[in-house]
């Protein structure tokens, strides 16, 4: 198998202590993210072949080591494993939904077709990342990365908003956000309003 990203040099600098701390972080995240969602459905042992936390931890580590995820210096090892696992969780739900079109998704109703498809924008100079597709250039990617960094700092004290911003980064469409977060579309709208209030206050103070 061809390696997409060569992370070997960077991984060699990770100490045993850093690995333990990163895995502890990942375990805590997955316990929170999958709470109440592993007895049946997409994240059940029957669907995954092993307990959900063990499965997503193993897959996240493998993807980083085998170069399916590009090492990003702005994130700690634990945060990178969290992001990989979050993406795996979302894709597993989507896979489960395709295989079980007539069932509830993880005990929740499927989204209706009338839900708008456009993702919420983070701040006014950041367009929906979906429009760029594979054509985004280095300058555009740099601007997007800088925008996300600013917003992550802005919401760092609020775990709920931090997860919401991560969902915006990972998901391609609005109707994916509720499944990613495990909430209703109404909750997504409330989180978006909360985020925009914080962003607007930051702009008034000249922070953004």
């Amino acid at each position: 198998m061809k390696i997409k990203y060569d992370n070997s040099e960077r991984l060699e600098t990770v100490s045993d202590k850093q690995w333990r701390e990163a895995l502890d972080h990942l375990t805590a995240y997955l316990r929170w993210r999958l709470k109440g969602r592993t007895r049946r459905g997409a994240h059940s042992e029957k669907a995954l072949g092993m307990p959900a936390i063990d499965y997503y931890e193993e897959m996240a580590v493998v993807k980083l080591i085998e170069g399916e995820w590009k090492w990003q210096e702005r994130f700690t090892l634990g945060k990178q494993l969290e992001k990989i696992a979050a993406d795996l969780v979302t894709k597993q739900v989507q896979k489960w939904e395709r295989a079980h079109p007539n069932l509830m998704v993880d005990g929740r109703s499927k989204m209706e077709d009338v839900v708008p498809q456009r993702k919420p924008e983070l701040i006014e100079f950041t367009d929906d990342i979906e429009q760029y597709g594979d054509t985004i250039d280095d300058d555009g990617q740099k601007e997007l990365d800088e925008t996300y960094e600013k917003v992550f700092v802005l919401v760092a004290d609020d775990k709920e908003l931090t997860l919401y911003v991560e969902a915006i980064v990972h998901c391609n469409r609005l109707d994916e956000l509720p499944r990613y977060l495990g909430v209703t579309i109404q909750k997504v709208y409330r989180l978006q309003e909360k985020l925009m209030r914080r962003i607007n206050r930051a702009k008034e103070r000249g922070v953004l």
Side-chain angles (χ1 to χ4, degrees):
M1 181 181 69
K2 184 178 180 180
I3 297 177
K4 189 174 181 180
Y5 302 108
D6 186 357
N7 299 321
S8 58
E9 184 175 343
R10 186 63 182 83
L11 285 166
E12 288 176 359
T13 69
V14 179
S15 67
D16 290 343
K17 179 182 178 181
Q18 288 173 317
W19 268 115
R20 288 194 299 271
E21 291 174 346
L23 291 173
D24 287 344
H25 173 93
L26 179 58
T27 299
Y29 168 75
L30 286 169
R31 283 175 177 167
W32 176 85
R33 177 75 188 274
L34 299 174
K35 184 177 180 180
R37 304 175 67 188
T38 60
R39 296 183 63 182
R40 60 182 182 274
H43 310 301
S44 66
E45 187 169 348
K46 180 179 180 180
L48 299 173
M50 65 174 73
I53 291 178
D54 294 341
Y55 174 83
Y56 290 117
E57 284 186 349
E58 179 179 324
M59 290 295 293
V61 171
V62 167
K63 283 184 176 293
L64 183 63
I65 291 176
E66 292 188 351
E68 293 185 49
W69 167 274
K70 183 178 181 180
W71 187 285
Q72 299 181 49
E73 292 295 341
R74 68 180 185 274
F75 299 128
T76 63
L77 176 59
K79 196 67 175 178
Q80 295 191 73
L81 291 175
E82 176 187 320
K83 284 181 168 294
I84 298 170
D87 186 57
L88 288 168
V89 168
T90 300
K91 289 179 178 177
Q92 173 62 16
V93 172
Q94 294 170 345
K95 177 182 176 182
W96 175 266
E97 182 180 1
R98 289 193 297 270
H100 304 82
N102 298 319
L103 298 180
M104 304 282 278
V105 179
D106 287 352
R108 298 175 176 84
S109 297
K110 290 178 60 179
M111 297 296 295
E112 298 295 336
D113 292 336
V114 298
V115 174
Q117 301 300 297
R118 181 178 173 82
K119 282 200 309 183
E121 296 176 359
L122 290 181
I123 47 183
E124 62 186 16
F125 59 84
T126 302
D127 294 327
D128 185 352
I129 192 171
E130 186 180 16
Q131 72 169 299
Y132 291 105
D134 296 327
T135 64
I136 185 169
D137 57 20
D138 290 341
D139 289 339
Q141 185 62 57
K142 181 179 179 181
E143 181 179 352
L144 285 171
D145 289 343
E146 289 175 351
T147 297
Y148 290 139
E149 287 177 5
K150 290 177 183 178
V151 176
F152 274 120
V153 171
L154 188 63
V155 302
D157 64 324
D158 190 315
K159 185 174 182 179
E160 192 174 53
L161 279 182
T162 297
L163 289 171
Y164 178 61
V165 175
E166 288 181 355
I168 294 175
V169 173
H170 280 287
C171 298
N172 291 320
R173 305 189 313 175
L174 176 60
D175 64 345
E176 293 177 2
L177 294 176
R179 289 197 295 269
Y180 185 98
L181 294 166
V183 301
T184 64
I185 188 63
Q186 289 78 14
K187 178 65 172 180
V188 168
Y189 291 146
R190 289 196 294 271
L191 287 171
Q192 175 65 8
E193 292 173 358
K194 184 178 180 182
L195 174 61
M196 292 312 299
R197 285 197 300 270
R198 183 168 293 206
I199 287 174
N200 289 332
R201 287 196 297 269
K203 288 180 181 179
E204 291 173 359
R205 299 196 308 269
V207 177
L208 288 177

